[in-house]
Amino acid sequence: MTNFLAYDDVTDLNALIQEGLNAKQNPFADQSLGHNKTIGLIFFNSSLRTRMSTQKAAQNLGMNVIMMNVGQDSWGLEMEEGTVMNGDKAEHVKEAAAVVGKYCDIVAVRAFAGLQDREQDYREVVLNQFRKYAGVPLINLESATRHPLQSLADCITIEEFKVRKRPKIVLTWLPHFKPLPQAVANSFSEWMNHMDAEFVIANPEGYDLAPEFVGNARVMHNQNEAFEGADFIYGKNWSSYQQYGQVLTQDPSWMVTMDKMRLTDNGKFMHCLPVRRNMKVTDEVLDSPQSIVIEQAANREWSAQAVLKGVLQGL
Ligand code: CP
């Protein structure tokens, strides 16, 4: 594996899931692989799970880890080419990415969507500038349009908890008052299109994801109908793609409740976290045995380790 930016960088999904499960069974089996190798974790946005799980995975593989919060620990970075840098950005990504690439064998970047300009966000400017200038393998820690380390952890979790070969998996939109990126939902949909599953997306009118991410999923605008007989409910809020970055509704009837979960076939509730309780999903659901959000978050470590192992093997 050279880069890990999207599903397209995966050659064999089942093998990668198995690699994650192997790492979970035996975390230190490949500790010599990363000896004297350094990963730089570059964050433009906040994180709990991605930051800690990627650091832990790298350490399990014997790597050194350098972490940096752009704009707090470093200079603010200019992304546009040919611009007159007379604003608040003191360094250009051309130099910054190239320098980071000299200190690190692998670079990993988190940079969310700005949600102001759809064309710019979907061009993945930050990720592509790092890919262009870092000169070393690049890992996506959640970009404007995708969160593939989360999606791999989700696949590992589904593999662990599924009770039938071809489960019914429902990605459902949840209410939120703030505009949130589409990255997690896009990415989950992209990966579920490659799983052996009946995959359904439930969202209100105006919240359909970009067609390239929906793929072959069945899109439904009635959440209760979508939940019927489901094995997994994957909750997430996202802002509108069509009316880009807008909050079109906060309809509380889309919150996941125990009554909704009773429509499923003893389905499991998943969410990438962080989650706002009693706005997106009730305490009762999150605190019930049907919730597997903690197991899902724990699998972020094994997802990151499987990917880092693949990238280290390619160095
Ligand atoms: N799910 C996830 O990426 O969590 P963090 O934003 O805390 O890293």
Side-chain angles (χ1 to χ4, degrees), residues 78-90:
E78 177 60 52
M79 293 293 153
E80 293 301 326
E81 310 264 346
T83 192
V84 177
M85 288 175 57
N86 57 1
D88 58 352
K89 309 280 173 52

Side-chain angles (χ1 to χ4, degrees), residues 16-17 58 100 140 151 154 161 194 236 241 261 300 308:
L16 194 59
I17 291 171
V100 169
N140 183 346
S151 304
D154 300 336
F161 282 91
H194 293 89
K236 184 74 186 87
Y241 173 75
M261 291 303 291
R300 290 293 306 275
L308 284 176

Side-chain angles (χ1 to χ4, degrees), residues 46-51 110 112 142 147 150 272-274 300:
S46 304
S47 168
L48 186 159
R49 281 143 290 271
T50 304
R51 181 178 294 249
R110 164 168 281 199
F112 291 172
E142 187 174 342
H147 195 358
Q150 179 67 55
C272 66
L273 303 181
R300 290 293 306 275

Side-chain angles (χ1 to χ4, degrees), residues 84-151:
V84 177
M85 288 175 57
N86 57 1
D88 58 352
K89 309 280 173 52
E91 181 155 25
H92 201 280
V93 68
K94 272 190 182 184
E95 285 81 39
V99 169
V100 169
K102 294 294 178 203
Y103 303 144
C104 302
D105 303 281
I106 300 172
V107 174
V109 175
R110 164 168 281 199
F112 291 172
L115 296 178
Q116 301 299 314
D117 180 338
R118 184 168 91 178
E119 192 272 331
Q120 177 160 333
D121 285 345
Y122 276 66
R123 264 197 302 131
E124 292 285 11
V125 174
V126 177
L127 208 61
N128 282 322
Q129 290 293 64
F130 269 86
R131 176 162 61 171
K132 193 169 168 187
Y133 294 116
V136 294
L138 185 65
I139 292 177
N140 183 346
L141 298 177
E142 187 174 342
S143 65
T145 65
R146 290 179 171 90
H147 195 358
L149 283 175
Q150 179 67 55
S151 304

